[in-house]
Amino acid sequence: YCIEGSSLADMTKEIVKKNGKDGTIQVLNMLAEDVKLPEGGCDIIVSEWMGYFLLYENMLKPVLEFRDRWLNPGGLIFPSKVRLLGALYSDADFWKERMDYWDNLYGYDFSSIKNMVIREQFQWPERQHLLPEGLITTTQVLASIDVYEATPETLRDIRSPFDVRATRTGNAHGAAFWFDATLEASASVTLDTGPEAGYNHWSQVIWYFDAPLELRRGQRPQGYFNMVTQEKGTIDVEFYLTFPQRVYKMATDQNPDTIYQDLHERLVWERNFALRELSADHRWPKTESSSADEASPSLERLLECLLERVDQWIEGKGTRRRVSALMVLFLFGMITARCQAGRKAKAD
């Protein structure tokens, strides 16, 4: 059986049939919670439920319930064990680009904006593809889950000490998190999503500090990590360092939508925002063959139009107007994010 709760089930059926397996694999377009298998249950469960911060997608609970209802004694589960891991991360280039950048913006001092950047951009964990050379400490196992034994209750409140060792002298700019998963039967294979494993679908999560943390090689940063799943399915995350200095980060009501995506995904989102909010009053020009009901213009065309407007605005080539144009673009990004948050809060 292939269980798929979304409309992707229709495409799955086509793929199964095209490969001559429609007599063997039955695709069920429903949630795992609603499935009723024939007498005899199943012998193997395969589910890719892992998400950002391992548990952000809140998909392990249905797997455990399905296990209790349908898995036969001695049956197998893939993956069978998962671990959430963390370490401190150094990213001087990122800090320079996102923070030191404001110290000298075309000859002007914009450093007053730094505190707002910290509040806006460093409040929550974000998704990034991290580099192995950025790891500045050893790795700490924050949670270890045996999928054969776990229960929803054991997942609801995860608490772990954080005790690592600095592998070199330098600045830690944030805490990095990832997971690994073990697929085990007669042989064992581990899926590693950490920075040292290279590019992968899940990438990693990093939670930037409000200020760089100075470390000396051999030093032992210590603290704790908490992750609590609420009844509504959102997650509260807490990370606290007590040594060598106090660092406290708290994020509530987290889910996959709250993880800041990489630049490409962010541009795609802002493109869709522009199409929704600006196309209706014809601020974006349309091609001769297009109409209000036709397909949206491409991202390249939208960016081209935006750059044309900016070029027209700063035609005088003055430094002050260049700074003003940069601020307008910066504020547009902030406004789009606030609009998204406002609409989501209104919908909730």
Side-chain angles (χ1 to χ4, degrees), residues 49 101 104 106 150 169 220 235 268 275 312 319 334:
W49 52 265
Y101 164 83
N104 186 348
Y106 293 94
T169 297
R220 299 288 294 267
I235 294 176
V268 170
L275 291 174
Q312 292 171 7
T319 301
M334 291 177 57

Side-chain angles (χ1 to χ4, degrees), residues 34-220:
D34 300 327
V35 170
K36 293 183 179 180
L37 297 182
E39 185 178 352
C42 65
D43 298 313
I44 300 174
I45 297 175
V46 180
S47 178
E48 192 283 283
W49 52 265
M50 301 83 72
Y52 310 132
F53 246 137
L54 182 60
L55 297 176
Y56 262 28
E57 293 188 17
N58 202 25
M59 288 300 296
L60 180 53
K61 181 180 177 181
V63 174
L64 300 183
E65 293 175 348
F66 190 90
R67 174 204 66 190
D68 293 341
R69 292 171 60 198
W70 302 112
L71 185 65
N72 293 326
L76 300 176
I77 304 176
F78 298 99
S80 55
K81 295 182 177 65
V82 290
R83 300 188 304 170
L84 176 64
L85 303 105
L88 298 188
Y89 191 80
S90 178
D91 196 344
D93 290 341
F94 172 89
W95 191 266
K96 181 178 180 180
E97 292 172 2
R98 194 179 284 193
M99 295 302 295
D100 296 345
Y101 164 83
W102 299 104
D103 291 335
N104 186 348
L105 186 61
Y106 293 94
Y108 291 87
D109 184 352
F110 274 68
S111 58
S112 300
I113 208 170
K114 285 185 176 181
N115 286 335
M116 183 177 71
V117 173
I118 290 172
R119 290 195 306 270
E120 293 278 338
Q121 301 187 22
F122 294 176
Q123 178 183 5
W124 287 349
E126 64 180 74
R127 171 193 174 194
Q128 280 196 20
H129 294 286
L130 303 179
L131 300 175
E133 53 265 31
L135 296 174
I136 196 172
T137 67
T138 55
T139 299
Q140 170 81 44
V141 177
L142 302 172
S144 183
I145 300 173
D146 184 335
V147 185
Y148 288 107
E149 302 293 337
T151 65
E153 289 70 29
T154 61
L155 303 177
R156 188 168 292 126
D157 193 345
I158 293 176
R159 298 177 182 270
S160 170
F162 186 83
D163 187 354
V164 294
R165 177 179 55 82
T167 54
R168 68 179 189 272
T169 297
N171 287 333
H173 298 94
F177 305 91
W178 64 93
F179 68 86
D180 63 23
T182 301
L183 293 83
E184 190 172 24
S186 57
S188 178
V189 177
T190 298
L191 168 67
D192 185 3
T193 68
E196 295 176 332
Y199 184 91
N200 64 81
H201 160 76
W202 297 270
S203 58
Q204 297 83 39
V205 171
I206 184 165
W207 208 345
Y208 284 106
F209 300 154
D210 295 354
L213 174 67
E214 295 183 10
L215 294 177
R216 298 189 307 274
R217 182 177 180 179
Q219 206 168 27
R220 299 288 294 267

Side-chain angles (χ1 to χ4, degrees), residues 53 55-57 123-126 207 233-237 250-259:
F53 246 137
L55 297 176
Y56 262 28
E57 293 188 17
Q123 178 183 5
W124 287 349
E126 64 180 74
W207 208 345
T234 60
I235 294 176
D236 297 344
V237 188
M250 177 72 177
T252 58
D253 292 331
Q254 298 291 286
N255 61 67
D257 294 334
T258 61
I259 286 283

Side-chain angles (χ1 to χ4, degrees), residues 275 279-282 284 286-297:
L275 291 174
S279 293
D281 56 10
H282 308 290
W284 295 105
K286 295 182 173 61
T287 60
E288 293 181 359
S289 61
S290 66
S291 67
D293 298 327
E294 289 181 342
S296 303

